[in-house]
Each structure stands twice: as structure tokens, then as C-alpha cells.
Amino acid sequence: MNTEFTLLTLSDNFPNEESCIRYFEKMRWGDKVVSPYDESSKVYKCANGKYKCKNTGRYFDVKTGTAFANTKMPMRAWFYVMMLFLSHKRGVSSCQIARDLGITQKTAWKMLHKIRQYMAMENNHTLSDEVEIDEAFVGGKNKNRHKDKKVEKCQGRSYKDKVPVFGIRERGGNIVAKVVPDIHGDTLLSIVNEYVTEGSVVYTDGAGYPGINIDYEQRDVDHSKHFYGATYATDEGEIIVVSTNGIENVWSHFKRMIFGTYYCVSKKYMQQYIDEFVFRFNTRNFSDSQRFNLLLRNAA
């Protein structure tokens, strides 16, 4: 099989269900099958892709314990959905998946959410050196709502009708983004402490983060005074760019993904869509097949 493949060549690389199962087995176990019930147990190969754990007497297959277990959809359909999902820069809706596969929208929606749970692993990187932090508010505009659905006093940084999301971007590297219950300084600083290494330079938009100067060097861009960035050189010749444009660019792309593809996302599932976006951003230099293999390894 060609190690580099695209959506167009997917059917050539995985012509049948057996080829998909064997590929996933290699991703999950390598050259030796391991029982999910007892890793030290000897394993017997049975018919129809089944295996038996000697110590527990229980049967299993490569899908046991993964998102693909207990579903009626064949692995080939899962592979197609994953590749279609990943090859689109801003995602693909469950309605489109349903039309492509000839399944119900409800089934397609469940498949996509099962896939998203394995994207969350890319949203836990440790960031260092120079990082930018900022919060965003995701939700519809009050002026676009019907008169009986408008929310009073929701202007500015209010999150009465929106979901607050906090993001950290390492310059030239990965991002971490989390849905937060509020935008209080101590709430956001706890996330910075969890994901940013001590001693890093943190660029902010002037919002208060009490105690951030203890473990980090803080550099501010005070947007309230219409100051959006500056570049200067130190006596040692180091070029310093004081700006949060990087993380703000991240929010711009995220909102385009939501409004352009999904249109409306409930608060309940906002973190899953954040995880999807972070996965796409952090693997932006991957090929489609590399991104596919990474996601398949996470599921394995």
C-alpha cells in the first residue's frame, strides 16, 4: 500500500473491509496482538477477525475499546469519513457526510463526534519560549436575533449569551484552547500555569492576570488605548515584537470554521469543536495521510 494517500486514492489503498481492519491492527498492535482485557495474556486467533484472551476467556477484535466498537458501520466507512473530514480545511458538516454515505444525519453526527474525541489529544501540548494569550467569545450577535430572543446587557466582554474560550499560542508552534466558565484573571492564569513552562515570555492584551509576573515575563499590548503592537531592538540586537496578533488570527480562523461550516454550535459541544480546530491548526504542516494516521493512532 502507498504510505502517502489522499481522498482520491483512498479506495485504491483500502479496497475492502479486510484491508482496513489489517491496517488498523498494525496501528494498534504492531506485529503482536495484545488483549485489551489482560495485556500479559496469550491470544488465540479465531474466525471472522476475532481473537480470544486466554486468561479471561473473552473474545475481542481490533475495534474493541475504541470509537469503532459496537457500531454497525464498517471500518471502510469510518476510514472514508475520517479522510473526508480531515481533507477539508474548515471541516465538513454531518449533513454532507450523510449525503455522501447515504446514511442518516443523526448517524453521521455521532460518527463525527466520536472522531472529535480523539482530536482532543492535540489540545494538551506544553508551550514555551514566547506565547500569546487571549480570550474569545463565541456566539451569535444580538442585533441578528429576533426581537423576542434578544439578550439584555450582553455587549462587550459579557458572556451571558456567548461561550468564553481561552487560547494560548506559542509563536511559530502549537496552540492550546479551552472553554472556560468565566474570564476572571485567576481562572485564566491557572490554565497558563498548566500549559506554559515557567520563565516564558507571555504577551497579553492588557487584561489583568494577577500574579502572572511571578513565573513569567509579561509584555502588554493595551488595546483599550488603541495600541496594537510594536517592534523594537534591544541593546543586544534582539528583535522584540510586542503583539497578540497571532492568537487573534487563530480566533478569526476558528470563527470562520464555525460560521462557514457548522453555522450554529451549542454550548454543550463547544469544546469538541475547539478540539477539532486545534487538531487542524497543530497539524497544519502535515499531509492528509499523516494527519489521518495520527488520528487513527489516537483512536488505537
Side-chain angles (χ1 to χ4, degrees), residues 5 7 10 14 19-25 27 68 74-85 111 292 296:
F5 50 88
L7 182 62
L10 190 67
F14 304 104
S19 61
C20 296
I21 292 175
R22 293 292 164 258
Y23 192 73
F24 191 42
E25 284 184 343
M27 283 285 184
F68 313 124
M75 282 295 294
R76 198 159 182 244
W78 280 102
F79 275 31
Y80 180 84
V81 170
M82 289 171 61
M83 198 64 184
L84 183 65
F85 190 43
M111 291 178 75
F292 177 87
L296 201 60

Side-chain angles (χ1 to χ4, degrees), residues 127 130-136 165-171 176 185 188-189 191-193 196 201-209 212 216 218-221 223 243-248 251:
L127 311 178
E130 291 185 306
V131 302
E132 300 175 13
I133 63 177
D134 191 28
E135 60 274 1
V165 184
F166 182 62
I168 311 170
R169 178 178 183 177
E170 179 183 301
R171 288 186 173 177
V176 169
L188 304 185
L189 184 57
I191 299 176
V192 175
N193 290 334
V196 180
V201 178
V202 178
Y203 295 89
T204 75
D205 61 0
Y209 301 95
I212 194 171
Y216 309 99
Q218 183 184 13
R219 295 173 182 168
D220 285 340
V221 182
H223 290 175
S243 157
T244 57
N245 291 342
I247 186 63
E248 289 169 11
W251 294 138

